[in-house]
Amino acid sequence: MYLKEELERRGVPALLKFEDGREVTADNWEERRLELVDILSREEYGYMPDEKFKVSAAEAAKPARDCAGKAVTERLTLTVSGSKGDFSFPLLICTPAKKPGSKCPLVLLINFRPDFPDKYLPAEEIIDRGVGVAMIYYNDIALDKNEWESGIAGIYPRPEYSWSKITMWAWAASRCMDYFETRNDIDFERIGVAGHSRLGKTALWCGANDTRFKYVFANNSGCSGDAITRCKRGETVEIIYRAFPFWFVPKYNEYAGREQDMPFDQHFVVAASAPRVVVCGAAEEDIWADPESQYLSCCAASQAWELLGEKGLIGVDRYPEPGDIFTKGKLGFFMRPHAHYFSRYDWNRYLDRLLI
């Protein structure tokens, strides 16, 4: 394990040991993986509604040719039917123009804006690599504020349902996957979910809950995302919960200033997608997220892949430097220069791994 002494110094909880003290093996990994999801649901993100949903799609506009005719863009309205009634939200899908019967990889971006293209969504560059992209706008699902009456939050409200806004956004991504499964033009073995910052946390949590996503791309997700919480620089549990309590369940606030008492750390959410592909992206100047703690999380989480006989993190036994790209294993990490942002450089690192 890379940086083993630093992980021990920080007191990071054991990944490969059950809560009851049993050792984790390759044979019982799925039981442990589900336990990780339960711990994180209970302590940090909350639980998704435990029911089956029916999903249908309707055209919101006729399909359009985009990117000089290289792509087809569909604007759909997705309707989710459950025990509490119906909920609808927009879904955009842009795929390469191709021969009938062919299938393309697809990345679902949970985005901060409904714009297409967007500064976080360089659609033409993605299409040029033969990859489709879908997008949902997070505020169409649940508003990014401390209110529980609009969107899906008004239909499955707290405290009746113990979930957070991060979990609501992740839940919507899974409903998109329900729809993707009805199509015949998508390569189901190469569907990824992606997000940046708080939505990078969401992508990680979505991947932990929904094993149908074979790729998880978490960009600059940092505190309460892919960064080890114990002894991290920048944002802490106290700071993030005080500013954004609605991203989490109230129990998470019990660890403000008491991170050493947490029965988990963020390598749990990274590892909960093993043995699928996870790539975490960091930025040199993003001290708030803390690239060193992000890398440490990948170092600790890599044990899950190795337990299963897979190549996890193929990195170095030191803290990351700008320009490091460690994406040859099924758990990847890279760090670029400059600041907190979802750049074209970042997209290309994720696409590089998707297209291996």
Side-chain angles (χ1 to χ4, degrees):
M1 187 196 309
Y2 301 124
L3 294 170
K4 182 179 179 180
E5 291 184 1
E6 176 62 10
L7 287 165
E8 291 175 350
R9 184 187 72 80
R10 294 198 189 191
V12 173
L15 178 65
L16 301 183
K17 185 168 286 189
F18 285 95
E19 285 192 299
D20 63 10
R22 288 180 295 138
E23 295 296 323
V24 179
T25 67
D27 289 338
N28 63 24
W29 166 249
E30 180 60 17
E31 181 186 354
R32 174 56 171 167
R33 196 191 71 78
L34 292 173
E35 184 176 75
L36 297 178
V37 173
D38 186 66
I39 292 168
L40 293 161
S41 299
R42 181 185 73 220
E43 304 283 345
E44 186 172 11
Y45 302 117
Y47 293 90
M48 294 186 186
D50 184 17
E51 63 175 277
K52 292 286 187 180
F53 293 92
K54 181 180 178 181
V55 176
S56 60
E59 283 188 357
K62 289 192 176 297
R65 295 295 290 268
D66 273 323
C67 304
K70 295 180 289 187
V72 177
T73 300
E74 302 168 68
R75 297 180 183 274
L76 306 171
T77 299
L78 219 61
T79 297
V80 182
S81 301
S83 63
K84 298 288 188 177
D86 293 349
F87 174 68
S88 298
F89 59 93
L91 168 66
L92 182 143
I93 304 179
C94 183
T95 53
K98 52 194 177 301
K99 296 179 181 179
S102 60
K103 298 182 179 183
C104 69
L106 184 80
V107 178
L108 171 64
L109 174 65
I110 310 165
N111 203 12
F112 286 96
R113 290 161 296 275
D115 306 332
F116 178 78
D118 178 65
K119 66 179 183 178
Y120 288 168
L121 179 52
E124 186 170 3
E125 291 183 44
I126 297 169
I127 290 294
D128 283 346
R129 299 200 64 178
V131 177
V133 64
M135 184 187 76
I136 56 175
Y137 170 45
Y138 78 142
N139 274 326
D140 283 334
I141 313 305
L143 291 180
D144 189 8
K145 58 176 63 175
N146 199 12
E147 63 84 46
W148 303 94
E149 298 177 354
S150 63
I152 195 63
I155 299 175
Y156 291 85
R158 296 210 307 190
E160 182 181 356
Y161 292 86
S162 176
W163 61 338
S164 64
K165 294 297 178 78
I166 283 177
T167 303
M168 292 176 186
W169 302 327
W171 170 89
S174 286
R175 304 292 69 80
C176 294
M177 177 61 89
D178 293 342
Y179 168 66
F180 297 154
E181 289 186 322
T182 70
R183 296 176 64 115
N184 59 12
D185 60 343
I186 298 172
D187 181 351
F188 298 125
E189 293 304 310
R190 290 193 293 173
I191 300 181
V193 59
H196 170 68
S197 195
R198 70 199 66 176
L199 301 180
K201 310 180 208 304
T202 303
L204 281 171
W205 187 226
C206 176
N209 280 275
D210 194 335
T211 59
R212 296 174 297 175
F213 286 100
K214 297 298 193 283
Y215 295 80
V216 179
F217 302 135
N219 198 66
N220 298 184
S221 65
C223 182
S224 309
D226 67 354
I228 290 294
T229 307
R230 288 161 166 83
C231 305
K232 80 176 289 295
R233 298 176 296 168
E235 202 166 28
T236 63
V237 173
E238 180 178 5
I239 291 170
I240 199 171
Y241 192 90
R242 184 171 64 243
F244 306 106
F246 46 94
W247 290 357
F248 311 101
V249 290
K251 186 170 177 57
Y252 191 47
N253 193 40
E254 294 179 11
Y255 301 112
R258 298 177 47 239
E259 288 86 352
Q260 295 297 329
D261 296 331
M262 297 191 310
F264 66 98
D265 213 314
Q266 295 308 121
H267 62 309
F268 279 20
V269 72
V270 176
S273 287
R276 292 165 288 136
V277 174
V278 178
V279 182
C280 299
E284 177 189 14
E285 297 173 15
D286 193 4
I287 304 304
W288 204 239
D290 188 1
E292 293 183 355
S293 293
Q294 291 176 270
Y295 185 65
L296 272 179
S297 185
C298 291
C299 292
S302 185
Q303 298 173 89
W305 280 265
E306 294 156 14
L307 177 74
L308 299 170
E310 302 281 359
K311 291 183 178 179
L313 179 66
I314 302 175
V316 291
D317 196 17
R318 58 161 170 78
Y319 280 128
E321 298 174 355
D324 280 341
I325 302 173
F326 307 132
T327 54
K328 292 183 178 180
K330 294 189 78 173
L331 174 56
F333 176 91
F334 66 88
M335 187 169 82
R336 59 165 169 77
H338 308 304
H340 189 78
Y341 188 75
F342 199 173
S343 70
R344 284 158 169 75
Y345 179 94
D346 301 323
W347 267 107
N348 279 305
R349 299 297 74 74
Y350 300 127
L351 296 178
D352 287 345
R353 188 59 186 81
L354 179 70
L355 294 172
I356 288 177

